[in-house]
Amino acid sequence: MIELVSEDRCIQCGLCVKVCPTNVFDTNEDGLPVIARQEDCQTCYMCEAYCPVDALFVAHHADEKVAVTEQDLIDRDLLGSWRAIIGFGSRGKVSMAANDTTPILRQARSGIARGE
Amino acid sequence: MSGETALKLTADVLVIGGGPAGAWAAWSAASKGAKVVLVDKGYLGSSGATAPGGTNLLYLPPDKEMRDKAVRERMASGGYLSEAGWIHRVLDQVYINLERVEQWGYPFVRDENGVPQRNHLQGPEYMALMRKTVKKAGVKVLDHAPALELLVDEHGVGGARGALRQQGKDWEVRAGAVVIATGGCAFLSKGLGCNVLTGDGYLMGAEVGAELSGMEFSRRYAPAPAFSSNTRSRLLGWATYYDQDGKELKGSRNGDFLAERLLEGPVYAIMNKADTPEKRAILRSSHAIFFLPYDRAGIDVFTQPFPLTLRYEGTVRGTGGLRIVDDNCETTVPGLYAAGDAATRERITGAASGGGAFNASWAICSGTWSGEGAARYALSQRAGADSRQLRSAGRYGLAETTGGRALSSPRVETAELVRAIQDQVFPLQINYFRSEVGLKAALNKLHSYWPSVNEQAPGNVHERVHAREAAAMAATARWIYTAGLARKETRGAGLHLLAEYPDEDPNQHHRLLVSGLETIRTRPDRTFLGGASAASYPGTEQGA
């Protein structure tokens, strides 16, 4: 579930509020996104994918809340890590689609007997 | 509905839902000259099962032999409830549309001969591209605008009403035709991207008298890491499974293997069949989302065990949905069309799951056809939708409009109602290892919860949306089990079965239609057979 909005990094663009498909965020009086309905988070990582400044962190736990600290996430190089992997929306990085190895995977897979 | 109607629009076509099917429907209707509004509960581009991950496609080059073989295999695995003509139609249409996707800018990789590999799409980029394309086509997009009920008159459907959930206000769109593309129903099981899929479109359709078909084919659970939402399990073919003592679980992993083992105790996997750095790199670049939860958990999946669970996927990887009766995906209600997982996919999948490839191609094609059909229908109407005497059709889970409810009546907490429904729908013992005895008991409980859907008392717009979702899930669960009890056989790839009836019954070579909300009716549908029977397809092999 979503666990962190970094106030330090957030530029108040409102994109996460807009793209979250389950409407987890509200915008507070200062214009910052706040996690208003964490229980509605479906752990789909889409907010992270769209955040232009890597200010969000979705923990991998789908059913329970976990404590995170921003410094620990920075130290472990996790802030913005999903966005970096998929090259999403950021210029200069290779897009996931352009780098798709699924066709190669199909060939490799044919060498492995299915379901064994 | 009680909120202030802040936004009133008139259009030719209203598309409800902003996943792939809705996006294609909106684009298709707009390109036929219709004025189109698309509303989504969340956000066109991130909503639905497709956006967060990757999706395979049913896609074959126009090679007659190759396509005939694929069609034959599917007819067999689907227990001959699909239609060869429709599978061919999808193969034809999806080929055209994926060429379009490439022209619009999707960077399909090419093989060494320069042939584009169009049988897999990465969800985030695909759906971002579809949003751009839909908007460029002139479609008005309303995000965070869940539809709550349809508008009807004696001529059929003429629009819908819903909430602008980030503004606490309501919207109303009057339209000559409506396409329901709200996806399937996965009962908030937290499969990847699936929590927006709560059967809303089924309920809206049923409230105006639309029928559903194939709801019994809904016995599908997806493997996922026990702690995570990640139900993209394709890569688990590269894993070895172990019990909690580290003993390898051998045997064919097809069918009931994982479900049976999980009832005995925890199951762990290690992706140790990917035994070279090259293979591991290929796996990572093909299905990056698969690795995300493990990377965050600090688990090296290639060498370390991780626990598995099964998450219920309802009608998302099932095949049931609103019955469609013509080539344009029109329902039995005039002016109402269905596309994607909101529609039954039996015409191409029969009794087998359309999970992955079939459903993704179906979304593209049914979206295209329903959009075209809805545009043609709307543009041929003499009276504009804004001159019609339309009434609101919503009856369930819309507490503020039900009226007449005594203030002393007990308030039902939506979260508790949802948990009660899930308790009858999620357990493997009830819904995977189906039996007549088990389904009857669960259905009786679900029927007893039904009055509760109108005893919810939402306090704000978010709770209003959830209350309606709870009603849709309660209805969907009842349709699933009612249809399941009516099909007293085990057909095709086992997407439905009853322990008491382990064999296929030639007398049940029909689809099952369900309809109604207070009382649920079932009836067989043989219209698709057109005189043909299973005997018309000799020499077929079992599909993959």
Side-chain angles (χ1 to χ4, degrees):
Chain A
M1 290 192 276
I2 178 79
E3 293 292 355
L4 178 81
V5 178
S6 164
E7 291 188 20
D8 202 29
R9 295 185 173 205
C10 179
I11 53 169
Q12 305 184 11
C13 69
L15 258 180
C16 56
V17 181
K18 201 169 142 186
V19 304
C20 170
T22 56
N23 199 29
V24 162
F25 301 100
D26 278 342
T27 308
N28 72 9
E29 312 85 66
D30 302 326
L32 278 168
V34 291
I35 303 168
R37 288 167 293 278
Q38 191 180 14
E39 66 283 2
D40 287 343
C41 176
Q42 61 171 351
T43 317
C44 70
Y45 310 98
M46 292 306 296
C47 56
E48 263 194 61
Y50 275 83
C51 177
V53 291
D54 299 337
L56 303 172
F57 183 73
V58 179
H60 57 276
H61 299 86
D63 302 305
E64 55 175 322
K65 300 176 184 183
V66 293
V68 300
T69 65
E70 184 167 349
Q71 193 53 52
D72 177 57
L73 296 172
I74 292 170
D75 292 346
R76 293 164 62 205
D77 206 19
L78 286 175
L79 283 189
S81 57
W82 178 231
R83 188 172 165 77
I85 289 166
I86 67 174
F88 196 60
S90 43
R91 288 172 193 279
K93 289 180 185 167
V94 179
S95 94
M96 186 160 61
N99 201 26
D100 194 344
T101 53
T102 303
I104 304 169
L105 178 68
R106 287 208 175 91
Q107 289 165 16
R109 217 181 134 83
S110 62
I112 290 193
R114 256 188 152 172
E116 283 179 13
Chain B
M1 301 199 321
S2 67
E4 177 199 345
T5 302
L7 182 66
K8 290 191 178 190
L9 298 170
T10 304
D12 297 312
V13 175
L14 169 65
V15 176
I16 303 177
W24 280 102
W27 170 82
S28 173
S31 54
K32 295 289 167 194
K35 187 180 168 193
V36 184
V37 175
L38 182 151
V39 295
D40 188 73
K41 191 198 279 189
Y43 176 83
L44 166 60
S46 67
S47 268
T50 298
T55 184
N56 289 307
L57 293 142
L58 174 67
Y59 170 87
L60 291 171
D63 174 311
K64 188 174 182 311
E65 205 172 306
M66 200 187 276
R67 288 189 175 186
D68 284 346
K69 180 170 178 282
V71 170
R72 277 198 309 273
E73 287 178 1
R74 194 57 183 200
M75 293 295 290
S77 67
Y80 298 98
L81 292 186
S82 54
E83 291 159 80
W86 274 75
I87 306 175
H88 277 294
R89 251 188 112 197
V90 165
L91 285 165
D92 292 344
Q93 184 71 53
V94 82
Y95 193 83
I96 295 166
N97 286 29
L98 288 170
E99 275 185 330
R100 285 187 176 123
V101 169
E102 190 166 32
Q103 285 159 13
W104 292 336
Y106 189 90
F108 285 112
V109 295
R110 290 169 182 264
D111 69 8
E112 60 277 14
N113 302 317
V115 179
Q117 305 294 297
R118 299 197 192 108
N119 48 17
H120 185 252
L121 284 162
Q122 298 289 5
E125 285 174 84
Y126 171 37
M127 290 312 298
L129 178 64
M130 290 308 296
R131 180 179 181 90
K132 197 170 88 182
T133 305
V134 163
K135 293 197 92 162
K136 213 170 153 186
V139 173
K140 183 166 181 61
V141 176
L142 303 181
D143 300 302
H144 293 288
L148 294 173
E149 57 184 331
L150 294 174
L151 300 174
V152 285
D153 63 10
E154 69 276 20
H155 304 296
V157 170
R161 294 169 58 90
L164 296 168
R165 67 180 182 180
Q166 294 190 336
Q167 299 168 36
K169 292 177 177 168
D170 287 354
W171 58 262
E172 178 181 296
V173 178
R174 292 172 170 247
V178 173
V179 179
I180 291 189
T182 46
C185 181
F187 297 92
L188 300 177
S189 64
K190 293 203 173 168
L192 191 66
C194 289
N195 265 28
V196 293
L197 310 172
T198 47
D200 311 358
Y202 302 154
L203 177 55
M204 281 188 278
E207 282 172 334
V208 297
E211 292 175 298
L212 296 113
S213 184
M215 297 303 281
E216 71 277 26
F217 299 122
S218 45
R219 179 186 163 261
R220 191 66 187 250
Y221 291 69
F227 45 76
S228 150
S229 62
N230 200 328
T231 42
R232 298 303 162 88
S233 56
R234 185 176 167 79
L235 295 190
L236 286 175
W238 297 77
T240 308
Y241 289 1
Y242 301 90
D243 68 13
Q244 56 191 333
D245 303 321
K247 193 167 146 265
E248 185 178 339
L249 298 170
K250 298 193 178 190
S252 165
R253 294 222 298 262
N254 294 329
D256 299 340
F257 179 85
L258 185 56
E260 282 173 353
R261 295 290 96 72
L262 279 171
L263 287 182
E264 289 165 8
V267 175
Y268 295 84
I270 304 176
M271 303 275 290
N272 46 17
K273 291 182 188 171
D275 48 7
T276 65
E278 292 76 24
K279 284 181 193 166
R280 293 172 183 181
I282 290 169
L283 296 193
R284 278 192 175 270
S285 296
S286 71
H287 291 64
I289 188 79
F290 178 87
F291 295 92
L292 182 59
Y294 307 110
D295 289 347
R296 292 191 174 184
I299 296 171
D300 174 4
V301 291
F302 299 112
T303 59
Q304 294 176 313
F306 50 92
L308 292 177
T309 189
L310 285 168
R311 287 188 189 270
Y312 184 50
E313 297 190 294
T315 62
V316 175
R317 261 189 239 251
T319 80
L322 291 165
R323 181 189 180 204
I324 48 174
V325 291
D326 74 357
D327 285 355
N328 300 314
C329 302
E330 194 173 11
T331 68
T332 45
V333 180
L336 186 66
Y337 297 75
D341 294 350
T344 177
R345 285 137 282 162
E346 289 162 295
R347 285 177 181 269
I348 64 161
T349 66
S353 171
F358 274 74
N359 284 354
S361 291
W362 171 252
I364 292 172
C365 299
S366 60
T368 304
W369 299 328
S370 62
E372 262 177 43
R376 202 179 308 123
Y377 179 88
L379 294 171
S380 72
Q381 299 296 299
R382 282 203 199 91
D386 44 355
S387 65
R388 289 164 63 177
Q389 297 292 313
L390 295 160
R391 61 178 171 81
S392 298
R395 292 293 172 269
Y396 299 97
L398 298 165
E400 288 153 320
T401 58
T402 50
R405 200 162 46 82
L407 288 173
S408 60
S409 69
R411 174 182 167 150
V412 172
E413 294 294 337
T414 298
E416 282 173 25
L417 175 58
V418 169
R419 263 193 301 277
I421 296 164
Q422 289 172 334
D423 284 346
Q424 300 310 313
V425 167
F426 286 170
L428 292 167
Q429 295 93 330
I430 300 175
N431 202 0
Y432 189 82
F433 297 104
R434 290 180 177 183
S435 69
E436 199 168 33
V437 174
L439 290 200
K440 267 184 187 162
L443 182 58
N444 282 338
K445 286 194 180 132
L446 290 164
H447 284 327
S448 75
Y449 305 151
W450 182 242
S452 308
V453 303
N454 279 344
E455 290 164 8
Q456 303 174 91
N460 60 37
V461 67
H462 311 294
E463 292 174 12
R464 264 176 78 201
V465 174
H466 287 328
R468 179 67 171 169
E469 290 173 340
M473 289 187 282
T476 304
R478 291 163 68 233
W479 290 319
I480 284 175
Y481 285 165
T482 302
L485 286 164
R487 186 174 289 284
K488 297 181 194 303
E489 64 158 355
T490 299
R491 176 171 291 271
L495 198 53
H496 164 67
L497 59 76
L498 285 177
E500 294 87 345
Y501 308 95
D503 300 319
E504 187 173 297
D505 172 10
N507 293 321
Q508 294 183 59
H509 184 210
H510 51 68
R511 295 182 188 149
L512 270 177
L513 305 179
V514 297
S515 59
L517 284 150
E518 287 304 311
T519 309
I520 299 173
R521 297 170 295 279
T522 64
R523 64 189 182 96
D525 170 20
R526 296 187 181 84
T527 52
F528 67 98
L529 289 171
S533 70
S536 313
Y537 307 97
T540 50
E541 353 167 354
Q542 186 67 29

